[in-house]
Amino acid sequence: MAIYEYRCDQDGVFEVMRPLGTAPAAVACPVCNREAPRIVSAPMILTTSRSAWSAAIERADKTRYEPEVVTSVPAAGAKGRPRVVPLTPTLRGLPRPDPLRPKKRPAAKLSTSGAGGR
C-alpha cells in the first residue's frame, strides 16, 4: 500500500492509502466532500536520520525562494572529460587512425567532356 497526498482548497492537505499505482488524479475531501487534486510529495526515505531528512527539506525549501547565485563558470574537472570506452576484443579489430600520418585526400578528377575540354 502507498500513501498519496491530496490538497483541498478549503481544508488543506490530507492523505489516502491505496494500492501502489491506483491513485486517481483527484478524490473527494473527507471533511467538505469537495474535489481535491493529488499533489506530488517527496518520497519517505526511512534509511536516513531524522536530522538529515529535516536538513534536506529545509535546504530544498530555501532554494525555492533564495536560489544560490553562481558568479563564475565551474572548473571542468573529471566531470568535463569524455568517457573512455575500454577496448574489447571486438573493438580492437577495428581500424584506428594514425595520428602521425597525414590524411590522404582523394585526387581531384578533371573533366574531359564539355566545351572547355582539351
Side-chain angles (χ1 to χ4, degrees):
M1 296 292 274
I3 298 173
Y4 296 96
E5 290 185 332
Y6 294 86
R7 177 174 287 140
C8 175
D9 292 334
Q10 187 174 350
D11 298 307
V13 177
F14 61 94
E15 297 175 344
V16 175
M17 190 176 275
R18 297 198 181 234
L20 190 64
T22 62
V27 296
C29 173
V31 178
C32 66
N33 213 22
R34 287 177 144 181
E35 188 174 86
R38 181 176 164 204
I39 58 173
V40 178
S41 58
M44 182 57 77
I45 301 172
L46 300 176
T47 58
T48 60
S49 68
R50 188 74 154 155
S51 61
W53 179 251
S54 298
I57 290 173
E58 288 175 15
R59 191 170 45 252
D61 197 38
K62 180 180 177 186
T63 60
R64 179 187 308 173
Y65 302 107
E66 301 170 18
E68 188 177 320
V69 178
V70 178
T71 58
S72 63
V73 177
K79 293 180 182 177
R81 295 185 201 151
R83 187 172 157 245
V84 177
V85 178
L87 290 179
T88 62
T90 305
L91 291 176
R92 284 189 183 129
L94 295 174
R96 298 182 66 184
D98 185 3
L100 301 176
R101 187 183 324 165
K103 293 182 179 179
K104 292 183 181 178
R105 295 186 179 189
K109 293 184 180 180
L110 298 175
S111 175
T112 55
S113 62
R118 292 186 185 199

